[in-house]
Amino acid sequence: MAAAQPRLPAGAAMVRRLARGCWSAFWDYETPKVIVVRNRRLGFVHRMVQLLILLYFVWYVFIVQKSYQDSETGPESSIITKVKGITMSEDKVWDVEEYVKPPEGGSVVSIITRIEVTPSQTLGTCPESMRVHSSTCHSDDDCIAGQLDMQGNGIRTGHCVPYYHGDSKTCEVSAWCPVEDGTSDNHFLGKMAPNFTILIKNSIHYPKFKFSKGNIASQKSDYLKHCTFDQDSDPYCPIFRLGFIVEKAGENFTELAHKGGVIGVIINWNCDLDLSESECNPKYSFRRLDPKYDPASSGYNFRFAKYYKINGTTTTRTLIKAYGIRIDVIVHGQAGKFSLIPTIINLATALTSIGVGSFLCDWILLTFMNKNKLYSHKKFDKVVDTLGQHMGQRPPVPEPSQQDSTSTDPKGLAQL
C-alpha cells in the first residue's frame, strides 16, 4: 500500500495554484468565437455604433481635418510696411517722415495721431511736476537734497519752490526744464488720418514642401499705384486704408486716435497643396490687441525728443509725448499635402475603432440581458489539449458548462 503523500500547507497550495494559473495563461491561446444572437434591438445598436464611427472618420477626420495629409505649421515669413498720406494740425502740415515710427517699416509700425509738446527744454533747475508722487511741499524740510524718484523728472536740490502756475509749491529738481506737467501744447493729427494708406508686403515659405508665395500677384510695375484692397474684387492688392483697418477691428477712429491703441492685422495662409497654387490665398482679419476696457493698460503712447542748439552753444530740446495707432502684422498658416504614412495610420485607426461596436454589444449582453449567463457559457469555451494522454496523464473531465457548445439547446441563444 502506497504511503500517503504529505498535505501541503494552505499557503503553499495557494501559491502552487497561482503558479499553475500564470503558467497556463502564458501558454494558452485565445481565439474569437462567432455567435449569432438574433436580437433586433441589439443588432440595431451594433450597426448604429459602427455607422457613427465610420461617419466620424470619413467626414471629420478625413474631410474636415484632412488627416491623409502631411502638414506644416508656422511658415517662414517676411513683412515690409509703408505708410503714405499727409495730415494737418491747427497750424502745421504733417507728412510721413514726421508721424510714422519707425521709418524703416517692419512688422510693427506706429502712426502718430495726437501729440503733447513741451518746447524749449534746457538743462537746469525747476519745479517738479505735481503729477509725481510726493512732489508737493511746504518748506525746504520736505525736500531731501540728492533724492532721486524713478517716477520723476530729475534729482531734487533740497529747495521748495513755487509751481509754474497757481499757489502750490513742489520740490525743485535738476533736470530738463520746464518739466512735462500735462499743460503742454496739444496737437491732433487724426483729422485726415483715416485716409492714410498702408502697404503690407508679405512673403511666406514652407520649407518642408518647398513652397513659396507672396500676397502680391500682379507682375505689372504700376499695379500698386492704382489699387486698394478688397477681399472679393482685389484680394492681392495689399494696400489698406487706415480707416478701413480700424473699422474692421470694430473701433471708433476718433476715440482710438485720441487715446491710442494697438490693432493687429492677422494674415492666415492655410494652403491645401494638393490643389493648384492659385487656391492658396491670404486671408486677412483685424482686431484690437490692447485691453480696451482696462483703464490701467489700454491705449498706446510713447515719448521722444528733438534736439537743437541756440547760437551754437546752448543745447535745447522739444519733448513730444505721442499718442498713436500701432499696427502689428501677424502671420499664421498651415500647409498640407497628401502623404501615404498618415493615410495608412488613420485608416488602420478607423478599422480598429469599428470594433468598438462589438465590444459595446458584448458588454450589454454580459451585463444587462436576461440570459447573460447563458450567453457567457456559449461565448467562452475551454478546449484542453490531448497531448497529456500520450504522456500517461488522464485528461480532466470537463464541467457541464464546458461541454460541446454546438449541442442542441431548446432554450438557447435563439431566445436571446
Side-chain angles (χ1 to χ4, degrees):
M1 185 174 181
Q5 296 181 355
R7 177 174 294 182
L8 295 174
M14 184 180 296
V15 172
R16 176 173 291 184
R17 285 196 300 271
L18 182 62
R20 286 179 179 177
C22 294
W23 184 256
S24 175
F26 180 78
W27 286 108
D28 287 351
Y29 168 70
E30 296 179 358
T31 183
K33 180 180 180 180
V34 179
I35 299 177
V36 178
V37 180
R38 298 186 181 278
N39 187 299
R40 292 184 178 180
R41 287 178 295 179
L42 193 62
F44 177 77
V45 171
H46 183 218
R47 297 308 177 193
M48 284 302 298
V49 172
Q50 288 182 328
L51 179 62
L52 290 175
I53 293 174
L54 188 62
L55 288 175
Y56 167 77
F57 276 94
V58 172
W59 177 75
Y60 182 75
V61 175
F62 285 98
I63 296 179
V64 177
Q65 295 293 324
K66 297 182 180 179
S67 298
Y68 58 87
Q69 293 182 332
D70 189 10
S71 62
E72 181 180 10
T73 59
E76 298 174 352
S77 173
S78 68
I79 300 168
I80 299 174
T81 57
K82 184 183 293 185
V83 182
K84 286 188 175 181
I86 59 171
T87 187
M88 292 183 63
S89 60
E90 287 75 6
D91 54 357
K92 182 181 177 181
V93 175
W94 300 75
D95 60 9
V96 174
E97 287 72 18
E98 293 183 287
Y99 66 76
V100 173
K101 303 291 181 181
E104 62 268 15
S107 61
V108 177
V109 60
S110 298
I111 300 172
I112 299 173
T113 54
R114 184 171 71 90
I115 60 173
E116 294 177 358
V117 180
T118 304
S120 303
Q121 285 187 323
T122 58
L123 288 172
T125 58
C126 55
E128 177 64 284
S129 171
M130 293 186 65
R131 295 187 296 179
V132 178
H133 179 67
S134 70
S135 64
T136 57
C137 60
H138 299 285
S139 64
D140 292 348
D141 295 335
D142 297 328
C143 302
I144 302 175
Q147 184 179 22
L148 177 63
D149 189 340
M150 289 299 173
Q151 303 299 321
N153 295 281
I155 302 175
R156 296 185 180 181
T157 62
H159 302 291
C160 184
V161 296
Y163 199 55
Y164 300 101
H165 48 80
D167 298 329
S168 301
K169 291 184 177 182
T170 60
C171 294
E172 186 182 55
V173 292
S174 175
W176 285 94
C177 297
V179 299
E180 181 185 38
D181 67 344
T183 60
S184 307
D185 296 335
N186 197 315
H187 301 274
F188 184 70
L189 287 65
K191 183 177 181 180
M192 303 174 67
N195 295 319
F196 293 170
T197 59
I198 306 175
L199 168 64
I200 303 176
K201 198 183 303 183
N202 177 223
S203 299
I204 56 101
H205 176 66
Y206 288 102
K208 178 183 288 187
F209 305 113
K210 298 180 180 180
F211 176 81
S212 300
K213 196 171 183 180
N215 64 342
I216 302 176
S218 178
Q219 302 296 324
K220 298 179 180 180
S221 59
D222 61 343
Y223 169 67
L224 296 178
K225 296 180 180 179
H226 309 287
C227 72
T228 304
F229 172 81
D230 186 276
Q231 186 64 55
D232 299 322
S233 62
D234 207 347
Y236 275 96
C237 178
I239 297 179
F240 304 85
R241 288 178 54 253
L242 182 60
F244 171 83
I245 294 176
V246 174
E247 178 185 353
K248 288 297 182 180
E251 299 296 326
N252 178 277
F253 191 92
T254 303
E255 180 182 346
L256 189 68
H258 184 77
K259 296 182 179 180
V262 183
I263 301 293
V265 178
I266 296 94
I267 308 176
N268 278 292
W269 290 88
N270 293 325
C271 301
D272 186 351
L273 300 184
D274 292 328
L275 306 177
S276 64
E277 181 180 334
S278 61
E279 298 296 325
C280 177
N281 299 315
K283 300 294 182 183
Y284 298 90
S285 59
F286 312 89
R287 67 183 183 90
R288 186 167 180 175
L289 300 180
D290 64 303
K292 177 180 178 180
Y293 299 105
D294 186 355
S297 58
S298 65
Y300 173 69
N301 63 77
F302 59 95
R303 290 175 174 84
F304 63 95
K306 295 182 178 180
Y307 295 85
Y308 53 95
K309 288 187 177 183
I310 297 178
N311 299 324
T313 57
T314 305
T315 301
T316 63
R317 75 175 190 181
T318 298
L319 177 64
I320 300 173
K321 182 179 181 180
Y323 297 81
I325 300 174
R326 171 173 147 170
I327 304 297
D328 286 16
V329 183
I330 305 169
V331 179
H332 296 303
Q334 177 174 328
K337 192 173 185 178
F338 174 79
S339 178
L340 188 60
I341 293 177
T343 303
I344 293 175
I345 292 174
N346 285 283
L347 280 175
T349 304
L351 295 175
T352 304
S353 299
I354 291 177
V356 173
S358 299
F359 174 81
L360 176 63
C361 291
D362 283 349
W363 177 70
I364 293 174
L365 277 176
L366 289 170
T367 308
F368 300 105
M369 300 297 286
N370 293 331
K371 298 181 180 292
N372 56 347
K373 292 185 179 180
L374 176 62
Y375 173 75
S376 178
H377 292 161
K378 293 293 183 180
K379 181 172 178 62
F380 302 106
D381 283 344
K382 185 175 182 180
V383 179
V384 180
D385 190 2
T386 58
L387 181 61
Q389 297 180 9
H390 302 288
M391 301 175 62
Q393 299 179 2
R394 184 177 179 180
V397 179
E399 298 179 2
S401 62
Q402 295 176 343
Q403 293 179 357
D404 186 7
S405 62
T406 61
S407 61
T408 303
D409 185 357
K411 297 182 179 180
L413 294 178
Q415 297 185 13
L416 288 177

